[in-house]
Amino acid sequence: MSQKTTDSVLDRLEAVRSQYHRQDLRSALNELGDELAELLMKQALYEGLFDTSIEINEAFRSAIAEALEQLEAGNVEAVENQIEVIETERSEFESALQQAISDPLTKYRSDVESMQRLNQKLEKIDPTQLEELRTFLQPGHLAEDVDHEPDVSIDEKIEKARSVGEDQRSFYQKAIRTIFEPYLDDDVIGDLVEVLVANDDLRVDEVDPNQFEALHDSELASHIELQFG
């Protein structure tokens, strides 16, 4: 085989190898892009749920876009060097999101568990709906009807995620009003109801005569157990 033929074969092998290497890099970037899409949906979901704006550094999104441009321009080495940076940006984005939602999510979970306890006594709301809300608030949950629709654009998925969060917030607020507000706003027994929400029991020594009479006359009377000592 001539030197010229050998060089031609090697060139073709190198071209094929570079092509597959670019495909591997593109696959890695696509995977990171899918993770970005999921994080953006979660961000929108929780923004809708908590009625707030969650500010997170956009470096992850920008780094993926830049790497794709480099790959399309044939700058494979630049993309290789950037993958690890992008993965770091991904981790920082996810950590920032978790940190932003940690406190409000903990409060929502606590409130829902308290509502479930009191609702068992007062039967104000369909318990199935409260259980669905409790499940929705569990770690790692993202509504499947938002996350797994292949023919829907990412922008549409993000807005649908936000809408799902808003719907859950609307029910949460309705449940709070339905179960607690009539009692929490009461000048006499409001503080006692807060104790009930937290502990599900009241001690006799925590109730003064005026409060005891107000409790006796309220809808809560037959559902409250007073403990001695």
Side-chain angles (χ1 to χ4, degrees), residues 1 5-6 11 13 19-20 42 45 48-49 74-75 81 106 114 129 137 145 161 163 190 195 208-209 222:
M1 181 180 293
T5 302
T6 301
D11 288 343
L13 285 173
Q19 178 184 355
Y20 280 104
K42 287 182 178 180
L45 181 86
L49 179 63
N75 300 326
N81 295 334
T106 297
S114 298
Q129 290 181 292
L137 296 172
D145 59 339
S163 178
V195 174
D208 67 35
S222 60

Side-chain angles (χ1 to χ4, degrees), residues 54-222:
I54 301 175
E55 300 297 333
I56 298 179
N57 192 307
E58 293 291 314
F60 182 27
R61 187 202 301 252
S62 300
I64 290 178
E66 181 181 345
L68 283 172
E69 289 179 3
Q70 294 281 6
L71 188 60
E72 289 164 356
N75 300 326
V76 175
E77 185 176 350
V79 178
E80 288 178 327
N81 295 334
Q82 209 166 353
I83 288 291
E84 187 173 343
V85 175
I86 295 174
E87 290 175 344
T88 299
E89 297 290 357
R90 186 263 327 269
S91 297
E92 291 179 357
F93 187 112
E94 187 170 14
S95 296
L97 179 59
Q98 291 301 321
Q99 185 175 356
I101 68 174
S102 178
D103 288 345
L105 195 55
T106 297
K107 180 182 185 304
Y108 265 49
R109 288 174 184 156
S110 176
D111 287 349
V112 171
E113 289 173 1
S114 298
M115 284 192 282
Q116 286 183 302
R117 290 198 299 269
L118 188 53
N119 192 58
Q120 286 178 345
K121 301 179 179 186
L122 301 183
E123 298 181 345
K124 292 280 190 178
I125 293 179
D126 180 355
T128 302
Q129 290 181 292
L130 284 174
E131 179 59 22
E132 288 175 352
L133 179 56
R134 188 193 70 79
T135 300
F136 178 82
L137 296 172
Q138 295 310 300
H141 179 83
L142 182 63
E144 290 188 1
D145 59 339
V146 172
D147 197 25
H148 302 292
E149 291 185 351
D151 298 329
V152 177
S153 73
I154 181 57
D155 288 338
E156 290 176 302
K157 287 184 178 183
I158 288 172
E159 288 312 306
K160 186 169 183 180
R162 190 183 310 280
S163 178
V164 168
E166 289 170 349
D167 289 344
Q168 293 292 343
R169 172 167 52 86
S170 178
F171 173 69
Y172 166 85
Q173 292 173 334
K174 176 185 175 183
I176 286 282
R177 288 194 301 269
T178 302
I179 297 177
F180 294 132
E181 273 194 1
Y183 311 110
L184 291 172
D185 292 340
D186 189 287
D187 293 337
V188 180
I189 65 173
D191 291 343
L192 298 183
V193 175
E194 288 186 5
V195 174
L196 180 65
V197 168
N199 301 318
D200 205 27
D201 288 304
L202 290 173
R203 292 160 45 104
V204 170
D205 58 3
E206 294 174 333
V207 184
D208 67 35
N210 289 335
Q211 291 174 322
F212 190 91
E213 182 178 354
L215 282 173
H216 182 271
D217 293 339
S218 75
E219 188 179 5
L220 294 172
S222 60

